[in-house]
Amino acid sequence: MIKTGGLGDVVGALPPVLPQEGITVRTLIPGYTSVMNALSTAQPVHEFANFHGASARLLAVQASGMDFFVLDAPHLYARPGGPYAGPDGKDWPDNGVRFAALSQCAAAIGRGVASDFQPHVVHAHDWQAGLAPAYLHYAGEPRPRTVMTAHNLAFQGQFPRELLDRIGLPPSAFSVDGVEYYGSIGYLKAGLALADRITTVSPTYAAEIQTPETGMGLEGLLRHRAGALTAILNGIDDTVWNPAADPWLASTFDAKHPANRVPNKQALQGRFGLDVEPQTCLFGVVSRLTHQKGMDLLLDALPAIEGAGAQLVLLGSGDRSLENGFVAAARRAPGRIGALIGYDEPLAHLIQGGADALLVPSRFEPCGLTQLCALRYGAIPVVSRVGGLADTVVDASDAALARGAGTGVQFTPVTRAMLELAVGRALAMWRDRALWRRLQAHAMATDVGWRRPAKRYAAMFRELVAQ
Ligand code: ADP
């Protein structure tokens, strides 16, 4: 599995549920070293001669019950480090070519190079695939319909205009209606401009990205294309995120037996070297450590959280200064604040299953997945009222509680002061054990799986093809 965040979760979880809706899916991924090493059987279905400097193969692969195409182009993808950057953390200088190639390959599949597979729809995710709708658009009809999904407008894939010819786009593509974006080539922009349909991952984010505050320069285009824009909330894979059968928990549990969470809290406090106190409210954080995620606000709020008598455990990685800040804060408050820097899925599960509440103070959040995991695991989400956080967490106001709703705490605006107030509110509710149990029951009853979203995607694909 190649994953740097929520995008990896979605592209891994949506395709396996679409067949239940009658949609056949094949997912194209780059032949990164880890992907190639994991292949047992692969069937070559096409050869691209002289594909950006060397030949490349398109492989058909089955793995984990999913059908994949893998673009086997070692000169582009077989490298040490991550998908986008080398071991030194610096972006590969040829990312523009690497992901144009991926999109070109997707467009070629769309035009039928994999002889047994002629898709009706090519669905591109984020800037990495943003040129696929562009290649199909400029190749002309007949072509499959195209959908561009924007998971996060903060990552746009902007590359110099000099690449245009090298990546095989016609000169006419370099226009405001095409791939041109502030004098460069915008990969995400191209997809948003040229795909037949656009989707994003929550209704609130769909509205926010049409404003200058959150549109990141694309708000004008998105307003112009509002008629083609749909919002479909993400889900989580509820077989992977299943507290009743989670191998990473010290104790499995379900909505009927929330008391079985207790050993997880104990294990979590132990793992982070905190005082093992069942009677202390434990906040958890699983996050990229970035400005987007409001982690600087959280860092500033730590003294208040500790001062209120709560504990906090944080798992994350990202900006060096934030990583250092959290490590230093944990050193200053041993037994009360714990921080682990890194990417650790088993530990992420233990945090969801052991923390009393999960903090997500994002400045913007297209959908967010951690709060969905938290709902399912009964870790009450304390979130900023933005994007998908606003759409998926029901603030436990008196009115919400009166109608049997209320799954968490929302706060706005996204400031340190409001975050501290929200933590205080959560703490007050936590002390009311009966109320907290009700919140947990509501949270754990929330439908956070993929079935509903999969139905929406399937309906959209059908409608598009029927047009
Ligand atoms: P984003 O994609 O913006 O990072 P999301 O909330 O949409 O945020 O998705 C984040 C996903 O990555 C979740 O599945 C979360 O559990 C996981 N994750 C984030 N940071 C870590 C980490 N340090 N260790 C393990 N899992 C993490």
Side-chain angles (χ1 to χ4, degrees):
M1 179 75 161
I2 298 291
K3 158 171 162 175
T4 60
L7 173 64
D9 287 327
V10 174
V11 175
L14 177 60
V17 289
L18 281 171
Q20 292 161 25
E21 305 304 322
I23 307 282
T24 304
V25 192
R26 296 215 191 163
T27 306
L28 172 66
I29 55 172
Y32 298 123
T33 305
S34 55
V35 171
M36 298 310 294
N37 289 344
L39 296 185
S40 45
T41 54
Q43 197 194 344
V45 291
H46 185 72
E47 173 120 10
F48 296 94
N50 192 15
F51 197 58
H52 300 289
S55 68
R57 294 186 311 162
L58 182 63
L59 307 175
V61 178
Q62 280 198 320
S64 320
M66 278 171 69
D67 289 308
F68 289 94
F69 285 121
V70 175
L71 178 54
D72 177 21
H75 58 296
L76 298 175
Y77 307 120
R79 301 178 183 180
Y84 316 120
D88 59 1
K90 290 207 183 91
D91 280 356
W92 298 110
D94 60 347
N95 275 349
V97 172
R98 296 173 76 223
F99 292 98
L102 183 70
S103 299
Q104 249 173 337
C105 178
I109 296 168
R111 289 202 305 278
V113 299
S115 50
D116 70 325
F117 186 73
Q118 175 55 64
H120 297 113
V121 176
V122 172
H123 186 182
H125 294 270
D126 275 356
W127 72 265
Q128 295 88 337
L131 288 185
Y135 285 117
L136 285 165
H137 174 86
Y138 292 111
E141 302 286 348
R143 63 166 177 83
R145 300 300 95 191
T146 53
V147 177
M148 180 77 228
T149 293
H151 293 271
N152 191 339
L153 257 53
F155 305 101
Q156 300 194 349
Q158 241 178 298
F159 298 97
R161 65 180 295 177
E162 288 69 36
L163 269 186
L164 195 72
D165 183 45
R166 176 147 173 232
I167 61 176
L169 283 167
S172 62
F174 197 76
S175 74
V176 280
D177 304 327
V179 306
E180 188 274 337
Y181 187 55
Y182 293 105
S184 308
I185 306 173
Y187 284 24
L188 178 62
K189 186 264 171 163
L192 295 175
L194 298 169
D196 298 310
R197 291 290 278 270
I198 302 168
T199 77
T200 190
V201 289
S202 70
T204 297
Y205 192 59
E208 288 169 347
I209 57 179
Q210 296 179 53
T211 68
E213 292 72 35
T214 312
M216 310 238 168
L218 291 162
E219 62 274 11
L221 170 61
L222 287 162
R223 270 203 305 275
H224 177 66
R225 296 222 62 202
L229 172 63
T230 319
I232 304 178
L233 274 171
N234 286 331
I236 52 171
D237 185 335
D238 50 17
T239 55
V240 174
W241 291 100
N242 178 8
D246 187 326
W248 309 117
L249 296 182
S251 163
T252 54
F253 60 95
D254 58 29
K256 289 205 188 78
H257 306 95
N260 290 351
R261 293 180 96 254
V262 172
N264 296 319
K265 179 167 171 178
Q266 210 171 19
L268 194 55
Q269 286 169 324
R271 176 77 183 270
F272 279 86
L274 301 190
D275 304 330
V276 179
E277 296 171 355
Q279 297 311 325
T280 296
C281 184
L282 175 60
F283 288 91
V285 180
V286 180
S287 183
R288 289 186 288 119
L289 303 182
T290 63
H291 186 258
Q292 176 201 333
K293 297 290 181 180
M295 286 295 118
D296 50 321
L297 305 175
L298 176 66
L299 188 57
D300 291 344
L302 287 181
I305 294 172
E306 197 200 339
Q311 292 177 326
L312 180 134
V313 294
L314 172 136
L315 168 66
S317 62
D319 296 351
R320 247 347 99 72
S321 63
L322 287 168
E323 290 181 352
N324 295 338
F326 281 107
V327 169
R331 255 193 230 118
R332 275 197 302 273
R336 313 311 298 171
I337 307 262
L340 280 173
I341 304 306
Y343 198 92
D344 185 336
E345 274 183 49
L347 185 55
H349 283 238
L350 186 63
I351 293 176
Q352 298 286 9
D356 294 299
L358 189 89
L359 291 179
V360 193
S362 304
R363 287 193 167 83
F364 68 94
E365 192 60 76
C367 177
L369 297 176
T370 52
Q371 85 282 7
L372 300 182
C373 305
L375 289 169
R376 185 146 164 81
Y377 279 58
I380 297 306
V382 178
V383 305
S384 50
R385 187 176 297 152
V386 297
L389 300 172
D391 295 329
T392 57
V393 175
V394 181
D395 185 76
S397 63
D398 291 344
L401 289 169
R403 61 170 200 274
T407 58
V409 172
Q410 293 190 350
F411 66 92
T412 187
V414 192
T415 60
R416 167 192 178 170
M418 295 314 282
L419 169 60
E420 290 177 0
L421 283 175
V423 165
R425 217 181 127 210
L427 263 173
M429 286 196 279
W430 183 81
R431 290 193 191 102
D432 181 342
R433 304 308 299 156
L435 172 61
W436 198 256
R437 285 267 181 275
R438 269 166 68 204
L439 284 186
Q440 279 185 317
H442 297 162
M444 294 182 78
T446 306
D447 178 6
V448 292
W450 269 107
R451 266 165 302 272
R452 236 177 354 173
K455 279 193 199 316
R456 301 254 344 255
Y457 277 109
M460 181 191 58
F461 294 149
R462 287 216 167 78
E463 192 189 306
L464 194 51
V465 171
Q467 270 172 10

